[in-house]
Amino acid sequence: MKHTFTLLMLVVFTLTQAQQKHTVYFDFDIDEANNSSVTRLDDWMTQNKNAIVEKVYGYADSKGNNDYNILLSQRRADDVLNRLKAYGIAVNNNVEVKAFGEDFEQDENQAKNRKVEIYYTLTEQARPEPKPDKPEFTKKVEEAKVGDKLRLPKLYFYNNSDIVVPGSKPTLSELLVIMRNNPKLKIDIQGHICCQTVETGDISAKRAKAVYNFLVRNGIDSKRLSYQGFKSSRPVYPLPEKNEDERDANRRVEIEIIEN
């Protein structure tokens, strides 16, 4: 009995020790990791391809009220989780995602409180073959030829705005990973609108620029990127569209392969 108890405690201790942590930091009131942390996260993902993510905890500093900070912490956790998934890091099916407002031990240095902590374990061997399939859009980009145009899937903006809805951030993260993994790739980002022959507010160009800014902000050389808006001059379906599917197809952002 004593031997069994000792063995059990050794197993528990080993499992506890096996769980490790990586921290990602954010700038004040921003829900996307800052550039230096993105670089470190990329290095970590490259060196830990056999990691399995068990927990993702988001935090904020003590500025603002608790409810706001919980929402901000949740968006930060989602940002990191999306980056991990886009890169292909394994995430436990029961991954624990938590957002903390002010209910944690705050560091005196507020910058250290604006963070996401990734708790993970490492398998003894790399994940077995076959490797997980690449996302469909990633495969399309890697197979594309110069001059090909590809629509960014599931990229949506708030109405008459260049602000990306939170649910579309995985698309931007996937494009970011594609650009990082294919350093010779150059693209032109092209915005289009639906429903109206006369554009107000230059929305198509602003939406293309929003994608451009996201990539540059996360370390992609601007020399590899360009952007432009085509208004409603290149619809997939003739105006006026017959239904929401046709409108959805017309209001899009595409990338054109300039060099690969």
Side-chain angles (χ1 to χ4, degrees):
M1 178 66 72
K2 182 177 180 180
H3 176 73
T4 302
F5 177 76
T6 302
L7 182 60
L8 178 61
M9 291 302 295
L10 180 61
V11 170
V12 171
F13 177 77
T14 302
L15 290 174
T16 302
Q17 289 295 99
Q19 191 168 93
Q20 302 180 54
K21 181 176 73 173
H22 180 81
T23 304
V24 180
Y25 291 99
F26 294 72
D27 293 331
F28 175 71
D29 203 28
I30 300 296
D31 58 9
E32 295 174 359
N34 60 40
N35 288 340
S36 59
S37 276
V38 167
T39 300
R40 289 194 297 271
L41 180 60
D42 286 347
D43 291 341
W44 176 85
M45 291 189 293
T46 300
Q47 297 166 12
N48 294 278
K49 293 181 179 179
N50 59 331
I52 300 176
V53 176
E54 308 289 348
K55 302 176 184 177
V56 180
Y57 289 172
Y59 301 86
D61 58 34
S62 59
K63 306 293 184 182
N65 64 57
N66 189 58
D67 290 341
Y68 179 84
N69 285 339
I70 288 174
L71 293 174
L72 177 60
S73 298
Q74 182 66 55
R75 295 198 302 273
R76 288 172 172 172
D78 291 341
D79 174 68
V80 171
L81 193 58
N82 289 333
R83 292 176 190 271
L84 294 168
K85 290 179 178 179
Y87 194 87
I89 298 296
V91 176
N92 193 313
N93 289 336
N94 297 316
V95 62
E96 183 180 5
V97 181
K98 278 188 178 181
F100 295 84
E102 300 172 0
D103 188 19
F104 70 98
E105 187 175 349
Q106 296 264 342
D107 194 288
E108 290 183 3
N109 182 348
Q110 290 286 7
K112 292 185 178 180
N113 298 323
R114 301 188 284 266
K115 64 185 179 181
V116 166
E117 293 177 338
I118 305 166
Y119 292 87
Y120 63 97
T121 55
L122 294 173
T123 58
E124 292 184 2
Q125 298 178 349
R127 278 167 278 166
E129 298 290 345
K131 292 181 179 179
D133 288 338
K134 291 181 180 179
E136 191 63 32
F137 181 66
T138 298
K139 290 191 288 186
K140 287 183 178 180
V141 174
E142 293 179 350
E143 295 169 359
K145 304 183 296 294
V146 171
D148 285 352
K149 296 182 178 68
L150 302 170
R151 177 183 176 176
L152 292 175
K154 300 179 181 178
L155 181 62
Y156 303 114
F157 297 81
Y158 286 109
N159 186 42
N160 201 34
S161 165
D162 59 352
I163 300 174
V164 177
V165 301
S168 291
K169 288 188 176 181
T171 297
L172 295 178
S173 296
E174 183 179 351
L175 179 60
L176 178 62
V177 171
I178 291 170
M179 297 300 296
R180 286 177 175 157
N181 290 346
N182 298 274
K184 294 182 179 180
L185 179 62
K186 294 182 180 180
I187 61 172
D188 183 48
I189 305 162
Q190 303 174 353
H192 305 265
I193 64 168
C194 74
C195 312
Q196 52 190 319
T197 55
V198 178
E199 181 184 52
T200 57
D202 207 19
I203 291 298
S204 60
K206 288 180 178 178
R207 289 178 173 176
K209 187 178 181 181
V211 177
Y212 170 92
N213 286 342
F214 170 83
L215 295 173
V216 171
R217 190 166 61 245
N218 284 281
I220 302 303
D221 189 343
S222 62
K223 294 178 182 178
R224 299 171 58 197
L225 308 168
S226 57
Y227 68 89
Q228 56 185 315
F230 286 101
K231 302 179 172 53
S232 58
S233 64
R234 298 185 179 183
V236 177
Y237 295 97
L239 300 180
E241 298 89 350
K242 297 177 181 178
N243 51 53
E244 186 60 28
D245 288 340
E246 291 189 358
R247 288 188 285 273
D248 186 46
N250 282 346
R251 55 171 178 258
R252 67 199 186 279
V253 174
E254 297 176 325
I255 60 170
E256 179 177 349
I257 308 300
I258 303 301
E259 187 177 321
N260 59 9

